[in-house]
Amino acid sequence: MDWLERTARLRQWSRSGTRAPHKPLLLLYALGRFQEDADGALRYSAVEQDLQRLLTEYGPPNRTTPAYPFHHLVSDGVWEVRTDRGPGSPGSGVRDLRVTGAAGRLAPDLRSALRREPSLLGRMARLLLELHFPPSLHDELLEAVGLELEPGRTERHSAPRRRRDPRMRELVLTAYEYRCAFCGYDGRIDTVPVGLEAAHVRWWAFDGPDDIENGLCLCSLHHKLFDKGVLGVGSGHRILVSHRFVGHSPAAREHVTALVDRPLIGPQAGARPVAATHRDWHTGQVFRGSPRPATAA
């Protein structure tokens, strides 16, 4: 059984690029708990808050529940659920999962495979990250689910894969003249740009293309905030700041809340700006809540 292929082909609700990372997040969490206790089961009532936090922080902007993946991941052959009455899930209702003592864990064949081949755990985890989340979130997601992996091996799997364009970073940074499109930061060490990154507006994992119309040159801080949905790009290529962001320090005001409604810096004349379709995807699938209103000067 090809566990990597099965991991790559988790059945997910999908429509027009809508993010639905519920199953990948649960599977990452289960792998982390397996690493800690290979024989332990995850009682829904005990892990519900952990899973809800993961969905709130790394899931889609709309409110959702961990009951859905807890029940439905069974159909992918990587997960099993038992209740106090015996094998089988009671359904995807939150109350049913709680009152029946529902508990889940990795499927028996998968647990056996992970024991035989310990490196499989890391390969599955990295594949889930690659397919469902941008690179800027990988390390913190691993920490959030309690996974400790050996550094950076990229593994092949049998599901079809797109290939990244290695020119993407240089093309985007050049288009924005090596300046952060949000704050203008343009630091270098000698002649080498430092702390500047090419951010995908529509995530690569969700069919975002490697081209200038889907890219922004951002400093490391604003790249992370953009991928976490604190910042976005609205109509007129003006900066959106989520009303859910809270920061009282002068640094938070200067680097985040003061950006409300500022125009993007760049791209240079002749370079294509971010396409509306990619802006709209990010606003609908990543940006958190509603934007703060512009304030009068």
Side-chain angles (χ1 to χ4, degrees), residues 132-177:
H132 301 285
F133 303 97
S136 66
L137 301 184
H138 290 184
D139 287 343
E140 68 174 71
L141 244 174
L142 289 173
E143 184 176 350
V145 299
L147 270 170
E148 295 184 8
L149 304 183
E150 294 183 3
R153 289 173 58 193
T154 301
E155 302 290 341
R156 294 184 179 180
H157 61 91
S158 54
R161 301 177 69 183
R162 294 164 58 218
R163 299 183 71 86
R164 292 181 181 267
D165 186 343
R167 302 169 300 168
M168 168 77 170
R169 181 177 184 275
E170 185 64 26
L171 289 171
V172 170
L173 267 60
T174 299
Y176 285 84
E177 299 181 285

Side-chain angles (χ1 to χ4, degrees), residues 4-5 11 81 89 99 108 115 126 149 163 188 208 225-226 272 283 285 288 295:
L4 292 180
E5 182 172 0
R11 300 184 187 94
V81 176
S89 171
V99 300
R115 289 188 177 96
R126 292 195 185 283
L149 304 183
R163 299 183 71 86
R188 296 171 181 263
L225 296 177
F226 187 64
R272 298 184 302 276
T283 301
Q285 299 302 315
R288 298 282 171 174
T295 56

Side-chain angles (χ1 to χ4, degrees), residues 10-297:
L10 294 179
R11 300 184 187 94
Q12 295 175 267
W13 185 86
S14 179
R15 184 183 65 190
S16 302
T18 300
R19 292 180 61 221
H22 308 67
K23 287 181 178 180
L25 284 169
L26 174 57
L27 186 50
L28 280 167
Y29 182 82
L31 290 170
R33 295 297 292 268
F34 178 88
Q35 192 175 56
E36 179 184 343
D37 178 8
D39 296 315
L42 308 180
R43 198 171 182 90
Y44 181 80
S45 57
V47 301
E48 182 179 9
Q49 288 189 350
D50 284 352
L51 296 174
Q52 186 64 65
R53 278 193 293 269
L54 287 173
L55 280 171
T56 299
E57 188 160 1
Y58 301 103
N62 54 299
R63 179 75 176 175
T64 187
T65 170
Y68 171 85
F70 203 93
H71 167 71
H72 287 286
L73 188 59
V74 173
S75 66
D76 294 282
V78 297
W79 179 250
E80 66 172 3
V81 176
R82 299 177 61 91
T83 68
D84 294 337
R85 298 191 296 264
S89 171
S92 59
V94 172
R95 183 179 181 280
D96 292 337
L97 289 166
R98 291 172 180 165
V99 300
T100 60
R105 60 178 178 173
L106 299 177
D109 287 347
L110 177 53
R111 298 200 306 271
S112 297
L114 290 168
R115 289 188 177 96
R116 286 194 309 271
E117 188 181 357
S119 66
L120 176 61
L121 185 147
R123 299 202 303 274
M124 289 179 63
R126 292 195 185 283
L127 181 57
L128 288 165
L129 293 172
E130 177 187 338
L131 293 178
H132 301 285
F133 303 97
S136 66
L137 301 184
H138 290 184
D139 287 343
E140 68 174 71
L141 244 174
L142 289 173
E143 184 176 350
V145 299
L147 270 170
E148 295 184 8
L149 304 183
E150 294 183 3
R153 289 173 58 193
T154 301
E155 302 290 341
R156 294 184 179 180
H157 61 91
S158 54
R161 301 177 69 183
R162 294 164 58 218
R163 299 183 71 86
R164 292 181 181 267
D165 186 343
R167 302 169 300 168
M168 168 77 170
R169 181 177 184 275
E170 185 64 26
L171 289 171
V172 170
L173 267 60
T174 299
Y176 285 84
E177 299 181 285
Y178 293 85
R179 293 180 300 173
C180 175
F182 287 170
C183 70
Y185 169 82
D186 60 354
R188 296 171 181 263
I189 292 180
D190 298 323
T191 61
V192 179
V194 61
L196 287 171
E197 301 165 357
H200 284 76
V201 178
R202 183 184 182 117
W203 292 355
W204 189 88
F206 287 84
D207 298 321
D210 283 337
D211 62 35
I212 292 171
E213 290 181 299
N214 189 42
L216 285 171
C217 176
L218 297 178
C219 66
S220 300
L221 171 64
H222 288 133
H223 189 178
K224 176 61 70 70
L225 296 177
F226 187 64
D227 283 348
K228 293 295 286 278
V230 173
L231 299 174
V233 179
S235 60
H237 296 90
R238 291 184 172 271
I239 299 171
L240 306 177
V241 178
S242 172
H243 78 285
R244 290 166 61 178
F245 174 81
V246 177
H248 302 292
S249 67
R253 289 195 295 271
E254 177 184 355
H255 297 300
V256 184
T257 53
L259 299 177
V260 170
D261 204 43
R262 282 190 191 174
L264 292 180
I265 300 170
Q268 63 177 283
R272 298 184 302 276
V274 175
T277 183
H278 302 319
R279 292 199 324 262
D280 292 347
W281 182 89
H282 185 275
T283 301
Q285 299 302 315
V286 180
F287 188 74
R288 298 282 171 174
S290 57
R292 289 172 176 250
T295 56

